[in-house]
Amino acid sequence: MRAAVRVDRTLCYGTGLCEAMAPAVFSLTDEGYAVARPAGDRAAGPERLREIAECCPAGAITVTGPGAGTT
Amino acid sequence: MTSTVAPDIPALFTPAYYQDPFPTLAWLRDHAPVHEFPFPVGDVRTWMVTRYEDVRAVLADSRFSAEGATWGNAEFRAAGLVSAAGTILERGIAVIDPPDHPRLRRLAMSAFTTRRVEQWRGTVHAVVERALDDCERRGAFDVMDDYAGEVSAGVLGAILGFRIERHRELVTALNEAFPSDPALMDRVPAAFGRICAYAAELIDDKRSRPADDLTSALIDATDEGTRLDGDELTGLVAAFIMGGSDTVRGFIGNAALALLDNPGQGDRLRAQPELARSAVEELLRYEGALSTALFRVTTEPVELAGARLPAGAPVIAGLLAANRDPRRFTEPDRLNITAESPRHVAFGHGLHNCIGAALARMEGEIAIPALVARFPTLALAVPRDRVRYIENWAIRRLTSLPVTTSTSRHA
Ligand code: HEM
Ligand code: SF4
């Protein structure tokens, strides 16, 4: 099992930070919120995903699964 | 190449532009969305970006680096435009690229998420009430110094754990750190140096006497091996001081003026304080505290909206211009505190988007409605044309905003 990544769009500010850090994992929708791309979590390791989650100003990104720790 | 705008419109970063930048920004959006001009300091070839889409694109694209020291061309560096050159802030969070940036950012961010800033709500309320009581006693007061300045410095001081009497010194240092007058460039390094020295002093103080504040918490986190060295820690505290004081002060002042200029909107907010959240978003869009982001520099030749930029080119993302772009916002020059507008860029975009945004929003959502609620007949104490903006290319704030209140009890 891989780490799984999820964006809570009710929290997301649409800052585009996650997309700038990992465009293969995240993208901004037309309404300006981030979504995790389907199977995008394959494109980055758990530590990288966790780093991005911790840089997000809204605490909107959750990483779960092996090696992901608790975020 | 266009280096000037139309004859009847002020050129960028001239005295007339600072007092009313909107005609210039509108002209640029329409006629030269990626506008080459000589930056007033050193006449360095610089590109100003004014459309919403392009501003977001620049701030999200890694070919536009925040590291002027690394990627800026010789001309840019020789003119002294590398921010904080020669101090530890030269490697500060706002002006570094990955992989260093996320390493610093994740530690810094942990203190400022929406959830974490909730712990300071009581502090913000207390500081706001104290400042309002003081203003009420004065009767007539200056929104910038007596209210916005007290709130921004009081909150930041309480959070970082610093002594308030140092604030005015810091405000002077901040103003000298971002001049637009070429004659004042020589004071920049000293101003950055003073801010860093103050941060270092604060950290020393907290090392010997830890307290329940953010500085002490950052020291603990650093000591627990977060791969942050001493200079980086000092730089982070200095960045909070630089980023979190004058911006909030400027924003509260701009918001107060916007509500005085649009009394219907002020009345609406007074009657419906639950509009605070959308009002603050709209006020940030309408006139946030930063009219531009910090310099970006191209790491390679880039084509942007039809313009060709060489490698090492300084680029300025026009946040205020983007927030007034009619291509993105309906009636952007009208203040409407109930508007559900698309996301503004007053806090920037991409990697370097504002770390303090949740705190700044909370301060605004408390301080702005409280000001109009406390003083229902708040009015300008000077003619409107005497209200002036500072002459700074990046920071947009008033020099002062003198007001009167009906509850005046003149001593
Ligand atoms: C209304 C108030 C504020 C406004 C308008 C504002 C605006 C901004 C903007 C536009 C940026 C991005 C600059 C760029 O991309 O070059 C930024 C970054 C930053 N801000 Fe704020 N800010 C405000 C309040 C605060 C507060 C309260 C703090 C901290 C206590 C803060 C700390 C920072 C830091 C550390 C950065 C750099 C982030 C990074 O590079 O990752 N700001 N701010
Ligand atoms: S970094 Fe966080 S707030 Fe910004 S777009 Fe991504 S999920 Fe949203």
Side-chain angles (χ1 to χ4, degrees):
Chain A
M1 233 186 88
R2 280 186 305 274
V5 65
R6 210 169 51 79
V7 176
D8 182 340
R9 57 156 55 210
T10 64
L11 296 176
C12 173
Y13 291 158
T15 62
L17 172 138
C18 53
E19 188 186 49
M21 286 181 82
V25 182
F26 301 95
S27 66
L28 285 187
T29 64
D30 286 345
E31 297 97 81
Y33 296 103
V35 290
R37 291 179 188 278
D41 30 19
R42 264 174 247 194
E47 174 50 24
R48 175 69 172 159
L49 293 176
R50 203 150 71 92
E51 178 173 70
I52 297 169
E54 288 176 10
C55 287
C56 163
I61 303 172
T62 331
V63 184
T64 49
T70 43
T71 315
Chain B
M1 187 187 117
T2 34
S3 64
T4 50
V5 298
D8 50 335
I9 290 175
L12 282 173
F13 311 154
T14 55
Y17 166 87
Y18 291 124
Q19 299 315 318
D20 184 10
F22 299 106
T24 307
L25 299 177
W27 191 92
L28 289 175
R29 276 191 311 258
D30 288 343
H31 299 99
V34 181
H35 168 68
E36 184 183 333
F37 73 106
F39 191 76
V41 176
D43 280 341
V44 178
R45 281 174 81 197
T46 300
W47 283 261
M48 173 84 176
V49 182
T50 44
R51 286 187 187 169
Y52 181 90
E53 281 310 319
D54 299 335
V55 163
R56 290 229 319 190
V58 164
L59 295 177
D61 185 335
S62 61
R63 294 172 304 168
F64 294 87
S65 163
E67 274 186 43
T70 311
W71 298 102
N73 60 30
E75 214 191 341
F76 179 83
R77 284 180 281 125
L81 295 179
V82 173
S83 86
T87 74
I88 52 171
L89 274 178
E90 187 173 347
R91 299 291 304 157
I93 183 167
V95 289
I96 52 172
D97 290 340
D100 290 322
H101 177 260
R103 193 167 52 85
L104 249 64
R105 170 121 184 167
R106 67 196 298 191
L107 175 68
M109 194 67 250
S110 64
F112 286 106
T113 59
T114 317
R115 198 148 32 94
R116 294 298 291 277
V117 303
E118 273 304 317
Q119 66 182 308
W120 297 316
R121 185 172 288 276
T123 306
V124 176
H125 271 293
V127 171
V128 163
E129 287 307 313
R130 202 169 58 222
L132 285 173
D133 290 347
D134 190 49
C135 290
E136 190 170 343
R137 265 192 300 277
R138 287 169 196 261
F141 63 95
D142 172 16
V143 172
M144 291 305 291
D145 272 1
D146 302 325
Y147 188 58
E150 291 300 320
V151 170
S152 62
V155 170
L156 195 70
I159 288 174
L160 290 175
F162 70 62
R163 283 164 289 144
I164 192 142
E165 66 272 13
R166 296 298 298 272
H167 174 67
R168 219 151 291 274
E169 254 171 73
L170 279 172
V171 168
T172 310
L174 284 163
N175 288 340
E176 290 179 4
F178 296 102
S180 51
D181 179 352
L184 298 177
M185 273 314 275
D186 54 337
R187 295 201 195 159
V188 172
F192 274 87
R194 286 209 316 278
I195 292 162
C196 294
Y198 182 57
E201 203 182 292
L202 183 63
I203 289 167
D204 277 349
D205 189 38
K206 298 295 170 186
R207 270 199 198 283
S208 51
R209 268 170 299 156
D212 183 18
D213 53 43
L214 181 58
T215 310
S216 304
L218 286 172
I219 293 170
D220 285 348
T222 308
D223 293 347
E224 277 158 22
T226 42
R227 297 174 297 147
L228 210 65
D229 67 32
D231 278 356
E232 287 175 327
L233 174 64
T234 310
L236 218 45
V237 172
F240 294 154
I241 294 172
M242 308 260 305
S245 50
D246 220 36
T247 46
V248 173
R249 174 169 175 248
F251 171 56
I252 294 174
N254 293 348
L257 180 62
L259 294 174
L260 288 169
D261 282 345
N262 298 272
Q265 299 283 300
D267 291 343
R268 187 91 193 257
L269 182 57
R270 188 176 306 113
Q272 288 172 268
E274 68 278 10
L275 290 176
R277 182 172 296 248
S278 75
V280 162
E281 290 312 310
E282 173 67 351
L283 289 160
L284 283 162
R285 180 197 69 78
Y286 187 75
E287 196 151 58
L290 292 191
S291 40
T292 70
L294 303 178
F295 274 113
R296 296 299 192 270
V297 284
T298 50
T299 59
E300 56 182 74
V302 178
E303 199 176 310
L304 177 66
R308 283 169 183 284
L309 280 61
V315 178
I316 297 177
L319 305 176
L320 186 61
N323 284 340
R324 298 289 191 108
D325 187 350
R327 291 160 194 80
R328 183 64 183 175
F329 300 97
T330 324
E331 287 196 86
D333 293 326
R334 196 166 72 85
L335 181 75
N336 176 5
I337 62 166
T338 57
E340 290 287 329
S341 295
R343 206 184 92 87
H344 59 72
V345 289
F347 287 125
H349 186 75
L351 285 188
H352 292 278
N353 77 82
C354 183
I355 265 187
L359 174 62
R361 286 183 162 108
M362 187 166 86
E363 290 186 61
E365 285 167 22
I366 294 172
I368 295 163
L371 178 69
V372 295
R374 177 74 71 104
F375 304 115
T377 56
L378 197 72
L380 277 182
V382 294
R384 181 64 178 79
D385 62 6
R386 296 260 300 280
V387 177
R388 312 284 293 172
Y389 290 87
I390 61 164
E391 300 197 348
N392 185 294
W393 63 275
I395 300 171
R396 181 145 179 88
R397 72 158 172 80
L398 300 167
T399 54
S400 67
L401 182 59
V403 291
T404 56
T405 71
S406 69
T407 51
S408 296
R409 275 182 265 143
H410 292 283

